[in-house]
Each structure stands twice: as structure tokens, then as C-alpha cells.
Amino acid sequence: MGLKSKDLVGIKALDAADIEQILDTAAGFKDVLGRDIKKVPALRGKTTVNLFYEPSTRTRTSFELAAKRLSTDVINFSVSTSSVVKGESLRDTALTIQALGADFIVVRHSCSGVAHFLADNLASSVLNAGDGTNEHPTQALLDLFTIREKKGVIRGLEVAIVGDILHSRVAKSNIYALKKMGAGVRLIGPPTLVPDVLKDLDVEIYSDMEKGLKDADIVMMLRIQVERQGKGFFPTTVEYFRNWGLTPERLARAKKSALVMHPGPMNRGVEIASDVADGMRSVILDQVTNGLAVRMAVLYLLAGVKE
Amino acid sequence: MAAFRIPKGIPVSKVLLNKEDIGRIITRMAHEIIEKNKGVSSLCLIGIQRGGVHLAGRLAARLEEIGRRNIPVGALDIALYRDDITVRKEQPVVRRTEVAFEINNEKVVLVDDVLFTGRSIRAAMDAVMDLGRPSAIQLAVLVDRGHRELPIKADFVGKNVPTSIDETVKVEFEEDGLEDRVVLEWV
């Protein structure tokens, strides 16, 4: 019992038992969230610092609320109003925050490997809230939690991940997690965004969405970053939607019981049609609620790791 | 002839209560609960995970037989309310709290298998208070082994067992695939 590392840097470093333990613990927290009094005293006296070098509302808010519901004090360190603009290095900023007594540092950064770097350099627990194109472990954990909650199992399911896999840390964490838990993974998208080398991850690759979605149990859509338009990955967002947008007709290729997921924020009419996003099979808002329970579980379990 | 010595490290145990004893005790405790509360109206049972949950279920079944009335039974997880979270070697496992009924203005009987330091009960009372405001909280335990560290006393006790601090009291239930019994172990 208990996690092995003081940090949650990525799914890659976890094994199936760790993932299972986090999901089981999150189930306990989910029922705390259903009560009138949603706060528990478990981590009273601890301090959580949100260190976000990239814009984020949902992940930051979710971590903040999760930390508060566990009774930790939360500080949101906003990079734009900090010494970072005066040229302070990442390491110095992090050491300063640690010296203030932070027990948990939640970090998001546009460079891959930042969470790993901080984890190695700090005694505080580091939680990766997204590093470059590397990993976004809590998103994958909340996705798995949602799948398990709705489907009962993860092993044996066919999960189709659609979109910009190449630049997506959400996709990467999900691929690692789903494979570790015994699910089949298919990646769907234009070859520029879903290159063949990804086959090394033991997944199937499709550029034809109709084929890729056939009999899938889960359809996981990724956000198409509009900034990528005009960089040679795909011609226009309109064309992207025509080929890889999730429409009700395309969704009909998947199993009748298939769930539609999206990590948010959604671009309606680019990667997903509104009818699908708001449809019966969408669990997009469940994902947000479950994110809170999963992040509470991770904070709680990391607090128990003694090194 | 050398004196008989117990080899070091091997646990030695003694069965304190067997299945029949436990059955009789539960019947007696059910009657005591009814006597103290003058019936079973506005009474509910909440078992503390895990042993207390099994015990609460059985007590409720007896109370229903005697009182001819449905008794709400819930399960309470106290992991998040413990005072030793930051000093324990491992985090306590978070289990589900399932209290699917209103406890406001009800009499809550907390049920646990073993009463020891009293710290679990303190945590349980905090957890119950977060669910509502009961008119009273009472405590029923199968075994009271002493060594209280907080001013807490049970209202209903199955058996008082004086123990030494390095002994352990293990309660096993059929619900967990074991035989019903209470065992005193020492190393």
C-alpha cells in the first residue's frame, strides 16, 4: 500500500497497482464531494502552491479546490505578476516557494521535463499539471476513473483517441495509462499529427476516422489548437472538421454504448459537433467532477509517502 | 529438563469469544440499546469501517426483530478525520462512507468492533458531525480493551477485556470469509 514516489511526474513511472490504488482512493473522495459539507480535515496544516507558467483555468481551479477540500492552504503563484518577469530562473522560483514551506507544488510549464526537473531538485512533492508535450498525469487518471465508473472495467475496452496526438500531453498520459490497465488504444488523425512512429507505443493508427471508430467503446477527443492552423499540420479548421470532427454520423460507427470524452476546452465545430458534445453519450462534465476526486486522491496519497 | 520457552517472534493467541458468544452478546446489546432509548424510534446505526460495519448490520437485524421496525444502517469511513495521518507510516485506505439517510435530530449509535485509545471514535464523531446534527450520539463496541488516550466511554460494551499495550485484539467476521471470533494475540 502507498505510492512509491513523493511526486506525480507522469504515468510512465506508475505501475498498474499504483493506478488502481489512486482510482480506488478517488472513489472514496467522490462521495465526500456529494455531501453538504465537502471539506475533510485530512491534510490540515499542509500548504499547496499552484505554479502555473501556462494559462489554465480548469486544471488550476480543480487542483485548488481539491487542495482546499482536503484542508490544505493554497497559494496561486501567478507567473505574470511574479519575479519570473524579472528574470528569476525556474529553479530559484521553486526553491523560494519550497523555502516558504510548500508541501505540494503543482506545476504547469510549456517545456517537457520541467516537473521531472523540479521533482529531482525539491524535497516538496511535485505534481505535474502538464509539461510541454510530455505528460498530464492527473488528466489521464481522471479519464480512467470516469471510464471505470461508467463501464465497470478498463481491461479489454477499445479506446479511440482522436486529434493532435503529436502535441498532446493528455494523449500521451492516456496511452500509457490505458495500456498499463489492459485496454486497446487506437489513435486517429491526420498523418501529420499522428505519425507512424507512435506505433512503438503498441497502438493502432488510423487516418480514416470511420474505420478507426468502428466498434470503439470510448471515443476520446482532443482539442485542436487553433494556433496550429497554418503551420502545415492541416489546411484549415473547416477541413479538419470535415475529415476528423466527431459528428453524430461518425459516432454511430462506434458501439451503441460508446462514451464520448474531451479534456476541454472544446472547440465546437472544429473537433466535435455540438450535438455530440451535449449528447446523451457525452461524459465531458463527469470528467470535470471526477477530476476533483482524483486530484484529492493524489494529494492524499502523496502526503503519505515518506522518503 | 529445560523450562518451556515460547520462541521469540511467534505470535501466541487465545480465543476470547467464539461465534455463539458473539451472537449472545449482540442480542444482549440490542436489548440494552432499546432499553436506554425506550424503543427504536428515531434510532439509526452507523458502523465504523470496517469491522464496525459488519457489527452494525447484525445489531440492526436484531433490533429489527425485537423492535419490529426498520433501522437505517450506514457505514462511516474515518480515514480523512484521523489525527495521525501525517505521522503514520502509510496513509490509511480511504473507504466509502455510506449514510443514505438523514441524521439530523436522529439518535445515532456509532458501532465499532474494538474500543482502544478512543482516537477512532473522536474521528468518527467529527465525521458524523459533518453529515448533520444528530440529537445524540451513542457508542456501542464489541470489545473494550482499555488504554484510553481521550475522555471517551462506550454506552454499550460487549465484553471488557483488560489487555497489555503490546497485545492486539483481532475481531474476525464471517462477512470477510472468516469464522466469527475475537482473538487476543501477543508476540
Side-chain angles (χ1 to χ4, degrees), chain B residues 52-70:
Chain B
V53 177
H54 302 322
L55 205 60
R58 295 193 197 182
L59 261 176
R62 292 306 274 139
L63 284 168
E64 284 174 5
E65 275 174 40
I66 306 162
R68 298 182 188 288
R69 198 164 177 283
N70 245 0

Side-chain angles (χ1 to χ4, degrees), chain B residues 87-99:
Chain B
V87 292
R88 282 167 69 105
K89 254 210 259 106
E90 279 181 354
Q91 288 299 71
V93 176
V94 179
R95 297 195 162 83
R96 275 165 193 272
T97 287
E98 286 163 46
V99 178

Side-chain angles (χ1 to χ4, degrees), chain A residues 19-29 145 148 297, chain B residues 94 96:
Chain A
I19 296 174
E20 201 111 24
Q21 192 191 340
I22 294 170
L23 303 186
D24 290 345
T25 306
F29 283 109
F145 183 84
R148 200 178 76 164
Chain B
V94 179
R96 275 165 193 272

Side-chain angles (χ1 to χ4, degrees), chain B:
Chain B
M1 212 172 113
F4 176 72
R5 277 229 185 93
I6 298 164
K8 266 194 179 155
I10 292 179
V12 184
S13 64
K14 182 179 136 193
V15 176
L16 295 175
L17 300 172
N18 61 25
K19 188 177 156 70
E20 285 72 38
D21 299 329
I22 293 174
R24 280 191 288 268
I25 284 174
I26 286 173
T27 305
R28 191 198 78 224
M29 287 172 76
H31 282 286
E32 286 174 354
I33 290 171
I34 289 174
E35 185 189 7
K36 181 176 169 99
N37 292 290
K38 301 186 170 67
V40 292
S41 62
S42 71
L43 199 66
C44 60
L45 301 191
I46 296 181
I48 299 174
Q49 293 273 20
R50 300 188 53 210
V53 177
H54 302 322
L55 205 60
R58 295 193 197 182
L59 261 176
R62 292 306 274 139
L63 284 168
E64 284 174 5
E65 275 174 40
I66 306 162
R68 298 182 188 288
R69 198 164 177 283
N70 245 0
I71 310 281
V73 194
L76 190 70
D77 181 69
I78 58 161
L80 303 171
Y81 293 84
R82 300 185 68 100
D83 57 13
D84 57 354
I85 283 184
T86 48
V87 292
R88 282 167 69 105
K89 254 210 259 106
E90 279 181 354
Q91 288 299 71
V93 176
V94 179
R95 297 195 162 83
R96 275 165 193 272
T97 287
E98 286 163 46
V99 178
F101 45 86
E102 277 293 322
I103 60 165
N104 286 327
N105 301 318
E106 297 287 299
K107 278 179 260 174
V108 171
V109 181
L110 273 176
V111 184
D112 205 357
D113 46 6
V114 180
L115 178 57
F116 185 24
T117 61
R119 290 178 189 267
S120 302
I121 306 304
R122 196 280 311 159
M125 285 194 285
D126 277 356
V128 166
M129 293 299 189
D130 275 359
L131 299 174
R133 187 185 184 280
S135 64
I137 299 180
Q138 298 166 7
L139 176 61
V141 297
L142 184 59
V143 174
D144 182 349
R145 62 166 292 190
H147 302 286
R148 216 75 77 241
E149 294 170 4
L150 297 174
I152 281 169
K153 186 170 171 290
D155 300 272
F156 313 102
V157 179
K159 188 175 172 65
N160 280 298
V161 181
T163 59
S164 96
I165 193 82
D166 40 76
E167 291 168 330
T168 57
V169 177
K170 233 168 65 186
V171 181
E172 297 173 342
F173 289 107
E174 276 168 3
E175 286 89 335
D176 289 325
L178 301 160
E179 203 180 315
D180 275 355
R181 56 181 202 157
V182 178
V183 186
L184 182 70
E185 284 183 350
W186 61 96
V187 179

Side-chain angles (χ1 to χ4, degrees), chain A:
Chain A
M1 268 308 294
L3 296 176
K4 291 156 205 102
S5 160
K6 71 172 175 59
D7 311 291
L8 180 69
V9 169
I11 301 291
K12 227 182 210 173
L14 302 179
D15 57 31
D18 295 329
I19 296 174
E20 201 111 24
Q21 192 191 340
I22 294 170
L23 303 186
D24 290 345
T25 306
F29 283 109
K30 177 120 192 211
D31 70 49
V32 172
L33 296 175
R35 297 182 197 160
D36 281 347
I37 297 175
K38 297 178 176 63
K39 198 174 177 114
V40 290
L43 300 184
R44 216 167 15 168
K46 303 265 180 198
T47 304
T48 305
V49 175
N50 279 325
L51 179 59
F52 277 62
Y53 285 85
E54 265 190 351
S56 160
T57 27
R58 73 188 62 212
T59 305
R60 209 213 66 221
T61 313
S62 178
F63 264 112
E64 180 173 352
L65 209 46
K68 284 183 170 165
R69 298 260 154 99
L70 286 166
S71 302
T72 85
D73 294 317
V74 183
I75 294 162
N76 285 311
F77 188 91
S78 152
V79 167
S80 57
T81 59
S82 75
S83 294
V84 173
V85 293
K86 299 178 189 163
E88 189 176 48
S89 77
L90 170 71
R91 185 167 175 274
D92 287 338
T93 304
L95 285 173
T96 305
I97 289 170
Q98 175 168 278
L100 288 171
D103 300 283
F104 306 101
I105 297 182
V106 181
V107 66
R108 166 169 289 190
H109 201 287
S110 57
C111 290
S112 300
V114 160
H116 199 280
F117 171 78
L118 291 181
D120 282 351
N121 280 281
L122 299 176
S124 316
S125 284
V126 174
L127 288 87
N128 186 0
D131 62 328
T133 59
N134 180 37
E135 283 222 44
H136 189 352
T138 54
Q139 178 69 43
L141 291 166
L142 75 89
D143 289 340
L144 264 69
F145 183 84
T146 308
I147 294 172
R148 200 178 76 164
E149 186 179 54
K150 303 282 172 191
K151 293 282 184 191
V153 288
I154 296 170
R155 182 166 297 283
L157 295 180
E158 277 295 318
V159 182
I161 309 180
V162 188
D164 183 358
I165 313 285
L166 186 62
H167 301 100
S168 173
R169 53 197 176 207
V170 173
K172 260 154 240 163
S173 288
N174 260 306
I175 295 167
Y176 300 139
L178 288 164
K179 295 306 294 184
K180 282 174 202 253
M181 298 304 281
V185 177
R186 312 164 183 182
L187 307 179
I188 307 174
T192 46
L193 295 174
V194 190
D196 252 1
V197 290
L198 291 172
K199 277 210 175 104
D200 293 351
L201 298 172
D202 190 23
V203 295
E204 290 174 45
I205 290 185
Y206 296 89
S207 55
D208 181 333
M209 190 157 177
E210 269 81 12
K211 276 189 194 147
L213 287 182
K214 192 168 183 327
D215 294 331
D217 297 285
I218 311 286
V219 184
M220 202 181 269
M221 302 304 296
L222 298 175
R223 184 167 73 94
I224 284 297
Q225 286 163 305
V226 185
E227 311 89 87
R228 303 231 188 271
Q229 189 174 232
K231 298 241 172 91
F233 293 108
F234 53 89
T236 63
T237 51
V238 175
E239 191 151 333
Y240 183 89
F241 184 72
R242 201 178 301 141
N243 284 301
W244 293 284
L246 187 63
T247 58
E249 298 74 41
R250 289 210 173 103
L251 182 57
R253 308 278 300 176
K255 282 199 185 137
K256 272 209 166 67
S257 57
L259 305 177
V260 175
M261 306 178 79
H262 194 301
M266 282 186 281
N267 293 311
R268 291 167 186 262
V270 178
E271 70 263 4
I272 190 165
S274 271
D275 292 358
V276 177
D278 306 327
M280 294 288 289
R281 296 201 235 163
S282 163
V283 293
I284 295 169
L285 292 175
D286 299 82
Q287 287 173 271
V288 178
T289 310
N290 289 341
L292 259 178
V294 164
R295 291 183 176 114
M296 285 172 86
V298 170
L299 285 165
Y300 174 76
L301 290 171
L302 289 181
V305 178
K306 309 275 190 294
E307 286 207 329

